[in-house]
PDB file of all heavy atoms in Angstrom:
ATOM      1  N   GLU A  34      23.908  -0.286  -1.515  1.00  0.00           N
ATOM      2  CA  GLU A  34      24.195   1.119  -1.211  1.00  0.00           C
ATOM      3  C   GLU A  34      25.662   1.449  -1.487  1.00  0.00           C
ATOM      4  O   GLU A  34      26.557   0.747  -1.037  1.00  0.00           O
ATOM      5  CB  GLU A  34      23.819   1.405   0.254  1.00  0.00           C
ATOM      6  CG  GLU A  34      24.269   2.752   0.799  1.00  0.00           C
ATOM      7  CD  GLU A  34      23.818   3.969  -0.035  1.00  0.00           C
ATOM      8  OE1 GLU A  34      22.619   4.095  -0.313  1.00  0.00           O
ATOM      9  OE2 GLU A  34      24.699   4.778  -0.399  1.00  0.00           O
ATOM     10  N   ARG A  36      27.363   4.136  -0.417  1.00  0.00           N
ATOM     11  CA  ARG A  36      28.072   4.718   0.743  1.00  0.00           C
ATOM     12  C   ARG A  36      28.282   3.672   1.828  1.00  0.00           C
ATOM     13  O   ARG A  36      27.826   2.535   1.709  1.00  0.00           O
ATOM     14  CB  ARG A  36      27.239   5.854   1.358  1.00  0.00           C
ATOM     15  CG  ARG A  36      26.850   6.948   0.413  1.00  0.00           C
ATOM     16  CD  ARG A  36      25.945   7.950   1.132  1.00  0.00           C
ATOM     17  NE  ARG A  36      25.250   8.801   0.188  1.00  0.00           N
ATOM     18  CZ  ARG A  36      25.694   9.979  -0.247  1.00  0.00           C
ATOM     19  NH1 ARG A  36      26.825  10.464   0.199  1.00  0.00           N
ATOM     20  NH2 ARG A  36      24.996  10.685  -1.117  1.00  0.00           N
ATOM     21  N   ARG A  42      20.756  11.483   1.184  1.00  0.00           N
ATOM     22  CA  ARG A  42      20.697  12.939   1.388  1.00  0.00           C
ATOM     23  C   ARG A  42      20.106  13.295   2.757  1.00  0.00           C
ATOM     24  O   ARG A  42      19.968  14.469   3.085  1.00  0.00           O
ATOM     25  CB  ARG A  42      19.896  13.586   0.249  1.00  0.00           C
ATOM     26  CG  ARG A  42      20.680  13.690  -1.044  1.00  0.00           C
ATOM     27  CD  ARG A  42      19.803  14.169  -2.186  1.00  0.00           C
ATOM     28  NE  ARG A  42      19.093  13.078  -2.827  1.00  0.00           N
ATOM     29  CZ  ARG A  42      18.045  13.226  -3.626  1.00  0.00           C
ATOM     30  NH1 ARG A  42      17.586  14.436  -3.866  1.00  0.00           N
ATOM     31  NH2 ARG A  42      17.465  12.182  -4.184  1.00  0.00           N
ATOM     32  N   TRP A  59      14.037  19.561   8.098  1.00  0.00           N
ATOM     33  CA  TRP A  59      12.657  19.915   8.443  1.00  0.00           C
ATOM     34  C   TRP A  59      11.701  18.805   8.067  1.00  0.00           C
ATOM     35  O   TRP A  59      11.715  18.318   6.935  1.00  0.00           O
ATOM     36  CB  TRP A  59      12.250  21.214   7.732  1.00  0.00           C
ATOM     37  CG  TRP A  59      12.989  22.397   8.283  1.00  0.00           C
ATOM     38  CD1 TRP A  59      14.122  22.959   7.776  1.00  0.00           C
ATOM     39  CD2 TRP A  59      12.670  23.115   9.478  1.00  0.00           C
ATOM     40  NE1 TRP A  59      14.527  23.993   8.579  1.00  0.00           N
ATOM     41  CE2 TRP A  59      13.644  24.125   9.627  1.00  0.00           C
ATOM     42  CE3 TRP A  59      11.643  23.026  10.424  1.00  0.00           C
ATOM     43  CZ2 TRP A  59      13.636  25.016  10.694  1.00  0.00           C
ATOM     44  CZ3 TRP A  59      11.630  23.917  11.489  1.00  0.00           C
ATOM     45  CH2 TRP A  59      12.623  24.898  11.615  1.00  0.00           C
ATOM     46  N   VAL A 193      26.435   0.664  -7.802  1.00  0.00           N
ATOM     47  CA  VAL A 193      25.903  -0.103  -8.931  1.00  0.00           C
ATOM     48  C   VAL A 193      26.347   0.584 -10.222  1.00  0.00           C
ATOM     49  O   VAL A 193      26.292   1.813 -10.329  1.00  0.00           O
ATOM     50  CB  VAL A 193      24.358  -0.148  -8.836  1.00  0.00           C
ATOM     51  CG1 VAL A 193      23.738  -0.658 -10.130  1.00  0.00           C
ATOM     52  CG2 VAL A 193      23.945  -1.010  -7.651  1.00  0.00           C
TER      53      VAL A 193
HETATM   54  C1  FAD B 501      20.997  20.631   2.026  1.00  0.00           C
HETATM   55  C2  FAD B 501      19.718  19.864   1.946  1.00  0.00           C
HETATM   56  C3  FAD B 501      18.627  20.255   2.721  1.00  0.00           C
HETATM   57  C4  FAD B 501      17.426  19.545   2.650  1.00  0.00           C
HETATM   58  N1  FAD B 501      16.408  19.905   3.475  1.00  0.00           N
HETATM   59  C5  FAD B 501      15.277  19.141   3.510  1.00  0.00           C
HETATM   60  C6  FAD B 501      14.300  19.343   4.513  1.00  0.00           C
HETATM   61  O1  FAD B 501      14.465  20.220   5.379  1.00  0.00           O
HETATM   62  N2  FAD B 501      13.206  18.536   4.515  1.00  0.00           N
HETATM   63  C7  FAD B 501      13.035  17.534   3.591  1.00  0.00           C
HETATM   64  O2  FAD B 501      12.025  16.816   3.669  1.00  0.00           O
HETATM   65  N3  FAD B 501      13.952  17.307   2.640  1.00  0.00           N
HETATM   66  C8  FAD B 501      15.079  18.070   2.591  1.00  0.00           C
HETATM   67  N4  FAD B 501      16.074  17.780   1.699  1.00  0.00           N
HETATM   68  C9  FAD B 501      15.814  16.771   0.655  1.00  0.00           C
HETATM   69  C10 FAD B 501      15.846  15.341   1.183  1.00  0.00           C
HETATM   70  O3  FAD B 501      17.037  15.133   1.884  1.00  0.00           O
HETATM   71  C11 FAD B 501      15.758  14.402  -0.015  1.00  0.00           C
HETATM   72  O4  FAD B 501      14.639  14.737  -0.829  1.00  0.00           O
HETATM   73  C12 FAD B 501      15.609  12.927   0.376  1.00  0.00           C
HETATM   74  O5  FAD B 501      16.478  12.600   1.423  1.00  0.00           O
HETATM   75  C13 FAD B 501      15.878  12.077  -0.861  1.00  0.00           C
HETATM   76  O6  FAD B 501      15.749  10.705  -0.554  1.00  0.00           O
HETATM   77  P1  FAD B 501      15.896   9.645  -1.728  1.00  0.00           P
HETATM   78  O7  FAD B 501      15.807   8.303  -1.125  1.00  0.00           O
HETATM   79  O8  FAD B 501      14.970   9.990  -2.844  1.00  0.00           O
HETATM   80  O9  FAD B 501      17.343   9.882  -2.340  1.00  0.00           O
HETATM   81  P2  FAD B 501      18.852   9.721  -1.626  1.00  0.00           P
HETATM   82  O10 FAD B 501      18.718  10.080  -0.214  1.00  0.00           O
HETATM   83  O11 FAD B 501      19.734  10.465  -2.482  1.00  0.00           O
HETATM   84  O12 FAD B 501      19.048   8.157  -1.743  1.00  0.00           O
HETATM   85  C14 FAD B 501      19.670   7.571  -2.856  1.00  0.00           C
HETATM   86  C15 FAD B 501      20.726   6.619  -2.356  1.00  0.00           C
HETATM   87  O13 FAD B 501      21.383   6.044  -3.491  1.00  0.00           O
HETATM   88  C16 FAD B 501      22.764   5.899  -3.176  1.00  0.00           C
HETATM   89  N5  FAD B 501      23.514   5.790  -4.416  1.00  0.00           N
HETATM   90  C17 FAD B 501      23.930   6.774  -5.256  1.00  0.00           C
HETATM   91  N6  FAD B 501      24.569   6.245  -6.313  1.00  0.00           N
HETATM   92  C18 FAD B 501      24.555   4.906  -6.135  1.00  0.00           C
HETATM   93  C19 FAD B 501      25.030   3.807  -6.927  1.00  0.00           C
HETATM   94  N7  FAD B 501      25.656   3.975  -8.097  1.00  0.00           N
HETATM   95  N8  FAD B 501      24.843   2.555  -6.447  1.00  0.00           N
HETATM   96  C20 FAD B 501      24.202   2.346  -5.259  1.00  0.00           C
HETATM   97  N9  FAD B 501      23.724   3.353  -4.484  1.00  0.00           N
HETATM   98  C21 FAD B 501      23.907   4.607  -4.941  1.00  0.00           C
HETATM   99  C22 FAD B 501      23.073   7.150  -2.392  1.00  0.00           C
HETATM  100  O14 FAD B 501      24.247   7.017  -1.634  1.00  0.00           O
HETATM  101  C23 FAD B 501      21.814   7.297  -1.526  1.00  0.00           C
HETATM  102  O15 FAD B 501      21.957   6.635  -0.286  1.00  0.00           O
HETATM  103  C24 FAD B 501      17.303  18.439   1.772  1.00  0.00           C
HETATM  104  C25 FAD B 501      18.398  18.023   1.009  1.00  0.00           C
HETATM  105  C26 FAD B 501      19.584  18.726   1.103  1.00  0.00           C
HETATM  106  C27 FAD B 501      20.768  18.235   0.303  1.00  0.00           C
END
Side-chain angles (χ1 to χ4, degrees):
E34 170 54 53
R36 304 176 196 268
R42 283 173 274 164
W59 291 96
V193 167

